[in-house]
Amino acid sequence: MPFPLLRRCRRQLKRRVGNVSLRTVLVVPFLLQVVLTVSLVGYFSFRNGEAAVQDLASQLRDELTARINQRLQSYVRAPHAINRLNVDALSKGDLNFSTGAGSNQFLQQLKIASYVNAVYCGDRETGDFVGVSRTGDGAFFELMIRNSETDGRMYLYGIDIRADRLYFLRDAGPYDPRTRLWYQVARASARAKWSDIYLDFTTNIPTITASLPAHDSWGNHFVGVCGTDVLLTEELRQFLKGLEIGKTGEAFILERSGILVSSSTDDPITVGTAEEAQMLKATESLNPLVRATTQYLIQKFGNLRGIRRSQQLDFKIDGKRQFVEVLPFNDDRGLDWLIVLVVPESDFMEQINASKRTTILLCVAVLIVPTVFSIAMARWIGRPIWRLSLASQAIAQGDLKQYVKSDSIRELRILSQSFNTMSRQLREYFETLENRVEERTFELHQEKEKSEKLLLNILPKAIADQLKEERKTIASAIENVTILFADIVGFTPLSARVPPIELVGLLNQMFSRFDELAERHKLEKIKTIGDAYMVVGGLPIPRDDHAEAIADMAIEMQQIMDEFNACQILGNIPGCENFQIRIGINTGPVVAGVIGIKKFSYDLWGNAVNIASRMESSGEPGRIQVTDVTYERLKYRYKFEPRGTIKVKGKGDMTTYWLIEKL
């Protein structure tokens, strides 16, 4: 901050302090301590409570989604296990499509898995079909048969406990399993598959079918398909409702298309009746929490298919925060669902908010007593010295012509006499002192600006700041920087034929242009040695694009060299040639710092620096040679030509590349 500005701020502060009454000085610090202590205790208590709530909410969401995931895993594994058993029976010929023999296995499977609605198999060659399904109310079972004897129609029979036919129930109409989607999908994929969710034509309950192709005992010929219908019944909904999701939280399961598979709410997941019935989309749910959460997920990820991993999120409904966890649930058989759990923050914060209100009331009560006591003490102490306070304020505001009458209190009488003497002396010396201070302050400010500018021309700002802190050793190891060495080809021989002043002036023009490039690309110029130029990217402040910045500068340096025509600039002296620049670049770790105590400079050390120098010295005029390390960093953004393997002094064989241009 400039000194004049600092002086004005100091004066304003003095004026404000001068306007504070003694009563305020006595009361406010004491009250501030009480307020600060009470506030910090209340704040950290509340914040710790909030942190605990968020941690609890996170753990609860993780636990509940894990339980739902585990339940769904067991829910979807059983149908495929049933299909494997039935495919084995079909392959061995244990199923009879005419008599229904072997259907007892279907019946037992339905009894074990209460959420399975039907188990069946279809024959490839004849289109025959046999299976067992639950009746409309689920209390009884019926045998389903389609064969040549039924004339291609599906007949339904009542069965006993061994799945033997007892009586004819009804004719369900023409039926060919080979035309059904569950059959065609399994045959086409040649592996276990799930169907999309659909409404069962008899129960109108959301259903999903697991199907598996069957082959003969040798595994060579396709013989049919077995399927298992799974009802997304009340059992799954009751499981979700049974989860303790706070007071008003909800859990629901979605298809990626947005269809509501199941939820912990009592709202229906289908709309319409009879033939017009269809699955309900979650965005059209009657439950506002389910509807708003789904809309938020679609808005955040673009669509539900964009959610590929477990996410813990939060959003607001009418200004109220909601905790959300969404977990993808899928398998390799075609299922791709989302488990969503949403819990209002208010379910967790109710007790915290009640505790907060109690804490605030207690804090107010605690503050009232110290406030009353402090005001009384301030009035008792401050009244005798009020006149002295007014006079002090006047002096602080610049009115030095003040005189205070003596008081009956000894301490105040001595103080008033001293005050009057001080006032007289201040009137005499204030103007002279202020003028001198302003002059000296201005001079110091100018000298400091000169010193700062000179130091920043020698060292990077970060290093200069360390130097001003009087650090004895300024050095640091930087893991990844890019170093550029450049040398002007033909400059040294030219020095023997051109006057030094002209040569140095030309070199200054070139290097000044290089300095402008370094500043524009935010690179650090290290030094120049004769007609050699060294610059580095990535220090003293690390940056990720140091290699790109160095590459851009190297290309622009070549363009600048095209502007310097030695014959035109220096005259047609014998043997003059246009200048060319040879550039070498390498990337790696270095040690950078300032050493010594006199005529110091910022420099680099390390193997990466040596290799960069070798890249320049072993390069060719007008070309930029880079190491394979730098090439790997830049190969997707710049055009290169491989030079191949060359011998590098002190380093052996190295693979290098020519940097051509930016892509």
Side-chain angles (χ1 to χ4, degrees):
M1 182 183 295
F3 280 95
L5 181 59
L6 180 62
R7 185 172 62 255
R8 287 195 296 271
C9 292
R10 184 167 61 248
R11 288 176 178 174
Q12 292 177 2
L13 180 61
K14 286 182 178 180
R15 284 196 295 269
R16 292 180 181 179
V17 172
N19 291 327
V20 177
S21 66
L22 178 61
R23 183 183 304 174
T24 303
V25 172
L26 293 175
V27 173
V28 171
F30 178 76
L31 290 181
L32 282 177
Q33 294 181 54
V34 177
V35 171
L36 182 61
T37 302
V38 173
S39 300
L40 287 177
V41 171
Y43 173 80
F44 285 115
S45 175
F46 179 70
R47 292 298 298 172
N48 289 338
E50 278 191 329
V53 165
Q54 292 188 3
D55 184 61
L56 177 62
S58 178
Q59 294 181 25
L60 176 65
R61 285 179 285 173
D62 285 341
E63 178 185 353
L64 292 178
T65 52
R67 288 177 60 186
I68 297 173
N69 182 71
Q70 184 178 9
R71 182 61 176 261
L72 283 178
Q73 290 288 356
S74 63
Y75 206 84
V76 302
R77 278 198 296 264
H80 290 287
I82 291 173
N83 282 341
R84 286 194 294 272
L85 293 174
N86 296 336
V87 162
D88 183 64
L90 178 62
S91 300
K92 294 178 179 178
D94 294 340
L95 292 179
N96 191 310
F97 291 94
S98 297
T99 65
S103 299
N104 184 49
Q105 177 172 300
F106 296 160
L107 178 61
Q108 302 309 316
Q109 291 165 350
L110 287 175
K111 290 180 178 179
I112 293 173
S114 60
Y115 54 88
V116 173
N117 186 52
V119 182
Y120 45 80
C121 292
D123 182 71
R124 177 192 67 83
E125 184 175 350
T126 63
D128 291 346
F129 175 88
V130 64
V132 176
S133 68
R134 299 181 189 275
T135 57
D137 58 4
F140 301 95
F141 304 93
E142 54 191 16
L143 180 67
M144 304 178 292
I145 287 185
R146 184 272 191 196
N147 52 42
S148 59
E149 298 175 6
T150 67
D151 196 25
R153 305 175 70 85
M154 182 189 291
Y155 286 178
L156 304 179
Y157 298 89
I159 56 177
D160 60 15
I161 59 175
R162 294 183 299 275
D164 293 331
R165 277 187 272 184
L166 295 178
Y167 49 87
F168 176 79
L169 288 175
R170 67 182 184 278
D171 180 353
Y175 185 83
D176 188 344
R178 294 171 296 185
T179 65
R180 298 291 173 168
L181 185 60
W182 60 269
Y183 184 101
Q184 294 174 349
V185 168
R187 180 175 184 179
S189 62
R191 63 188 183 93
K193 293 290 290 184
W194 284 104
S195 71
D196 292 333
I197 297 177
Y198 61 93
L199 297 179
D200 183 75
F201 71 96
T202 57
T203 64
N204 217 30
I205 295 175
T207 306
I208 187 169
T209 299
S211 56
L212 180 68
H215 297 80
D216 60 19
S217 56
W218 297 98
N220 296 326
H221 300 288
F222 170 75
V223 297
V225 175
C226 291
T228 301
D229 291 348
V230 179
L231 294 178
L232 302 175
T233 60
E234 194 67 14
E235 179 181 354
L236 181 56
R237 182 193 292 267
Q238 291 302 325
F239 168 75
L240 296 177
K241 290 180 65 175
L243 299 173
E244 295 182 3
I245 316 172
K247 288 186 177 181
T248 59
E250 301 290 356
F252 55 98
I253 303 170
L254 297 171
E255 270 196 334
R256 295 283 185 170
S257 63
I259 291 177
L260 194 60
V261 178
S262 186
S263 74
S264 60
T265 70
D266 292 324
D267 301 323
I269 60 175
T270 60
V271 291
T273 58
E275 295 181 355
E276 296 180 357
Q278 59 183 359
M279 297 294 296
L280 180 70
K281 290 188 175 182
T283 53
E284 301 171 355
S285 172
L286 299 178
N287 186 280
L289 202 56
V290 173
R291 184 172 63 252
T293 303
T294 307
Q295 291 171 346
Y296 165 73
L297 292 174
I298 293 174
Q299 181 180 5
K300 181 173 180 62
F301 296 98
N303 56 65
L304 298 178
R305 302 186 188 278
I307 305 174
R308 293 300 174 189
R309 59 182 179 84
S310 177
Q311 303 268 357
Q312 284 199 348
L313 310 164
D314 64 82
F315 73 105
K316 291 184 178 180
I317 301 177
D318 297 331
K320 297 179 180 179
R321 190 180 183 190
Q322 315 290 323
F323 294 119
V324 179
E325 176 151 357
V326 56
L327 175 67
F329 176 84
N330 48 55
D331 62 7
D332 59 353
R333 301 180 180 97
L335 276 188
D336 194 8
W337 294 349
L338 294 174
I339 301 171
V340 183
L341 190 76
V342 54
V343 187
E345 184 184 38
S346 57
D347 286 5
F348 300 95
M349 292 297 294
E350 184 175 354
Q351 293 183 352
I352 297 296
N353 291 331
S355 176
K356 179 175 67 175
R357 290 190 293 269
T358 303
T359 302
I360 292 174
L361 292 176
L362 289 175
C363 290
V364 172
V366 168
L367 289 174
I368 291 175
V369 175
T371 302
V372 174
F373 177 80
S374 300
I375 293 174
M377 290 294 296
R379 289 175 62 87
W380 179 66
I381 295 173
R383 193 173 297 164
I385 58 174
W386 174 248
R387 292 191 304 271
L388 185 61
S389 174
L390 292 176
S392 299
Q393 283 184 338
I395 289 180
Q397 294 173 358
D399 186 2
L400 302 179
K401 297 178 181 181
Q402 298 296 320
Y403 178 80
V404 179
K405 294 182 180 180
S406 299
D407 198 274
S408 57
I409 300 175
R410 186 182 65 178
E411 288 81 1
L412 290 179
R413 184 171 60 251
I414 295 172
L415 180 60
S416 62
Q417 292 172 354
S418 300
F419 180 85
N420 292 331
T421 302
M422 177 193 68
S423 177
R424 185 177 64 254
Q425 292 175 348
L426 284 175
R427 284 195 302 270
E428 296 173 357
Y429 299 115
F430 183 79
E431 290 186 3
T432 303
L433 180 61
E434 186 177 27
N435 290 335
R436 289 181 179 178
V437 169
E438 288 182 356
E439 291 175 1
R440 295 297 296 169
T441 301
F442 182 72
E443 292 174 359
L444 289 173
H445 178 63
Q446 286 186 321
E447 291 301 323
K448 183 178 179 181
E449 286 186 342
K450 291 180 181 178
S451 300
E452 290 281 350
K453 187 174 181 180
L454 179 60
L455 188 59
L456 292 178
N457 279 334
I458 298 174
L459 299 174
K461 186 177 184 306
I463 303 304
D465 291 341
Q466 296 181 41
L467 188 63
K468 286 187 287 185
E469 294 174 2
E470 298 184 355
R471 295 190 182 180
K472 294 183 178 179
T473 301
I474 300 176
S476 59
I478 296 97
E479 288 298 325
N480 211 347
V481 302
T482 299
I483 308 103
L484 179 149
F485 275 93
D487 182 68
I488 299 174
V489 180
F491 202 89
T492 300
L494 189 64
S495 63
R497 302 191 300 274
V498 177
I501 297 300
E502 294 184 21
L503 194 65
V504 171
L506 179 60
L507 190 62
N508 180 61
Q509 293 180 39
M510 294 179 184
F511 283 2
S512 295
R513 296 288 298 277
F514 295 167
D515 290 346
E516 292 173 0
L517 288 180
E519 184 174 357
R520 177 151 55 86
H521 291 287
K522 298 181 181 179
L523 301 172
E524 195 62 44
K525 174 185 175 182
I526 302 302
K527 59 185 175 182
T528 59
I529 304 174
D531 56 355
Y533 191 91
M534 177 182 179
V535 66
V536 64
L539 61 76
I541 300 175
R543 55 187 287 191
D544 294 334
D545 62 341
H546 52 84
E548 290 83 347
I550 286 290
D552 291 341
M553 179 171 176
I555 294 171
E556 292 179 27
M557 288 172 73
Q558 286 184 322
Q559 297 170 357
I560 287 174
M561 291 306 299
D562 293 338
E563 301 174 10
F564 287 91
N565 187 313
C567 295
Q568 293 180 1
I569 295 174
L570 301 175
N572 293 321
I573 61 174
C576 72
E577 295 180 358
N578 288 337
F579 293 123
Q580 288 185 303
I581 192 168
R582 184 171 55 229
I583 300 175
I585 300 176
N586 182 38
T587 300
V590 299
V591 174
V594 178
I595 59 174
I597 59 175
K598 291 185 177 181
K599 296 184 179 180
F600 46 78
S601 64
Y602 187 62
D603 208 345
L604 308 180
W605 300 271
N607 189 50
V609 179
N610 297 334
I611 293 176
S613 177
R614 296 290 188 268
M615 289 297 100
E616 179 273 319
S617 61
S618 63
E620 295 178 0
R623 309 204 75 173
I624 305 169
Q625 183 171 224
V626 303
T627 61
D628 57 349
V629 177
T630 305
Y631 167 76
E632 290 298 326
R633 290 183 64 99
L634 302 175
K635 62 183 180 181
Y636 298 113
R637 290 180 291 276
Y638 294 83
K639 180 179 179 181
F640 289 89
E641 287 183 3
R643 184 181 184 184
T645 302
I646 64 171
K647 283 235 180 251
V648 177
K649 182 180 179 181
K651 306 299 177 183
D653 291 340
M654 293 186 67
T655 300
T656 64
Y657 299 83
W658 298 118
L659 171 60
I660 305 303
E661 61 184 358
K662 191 171 186 177
L663 296 178

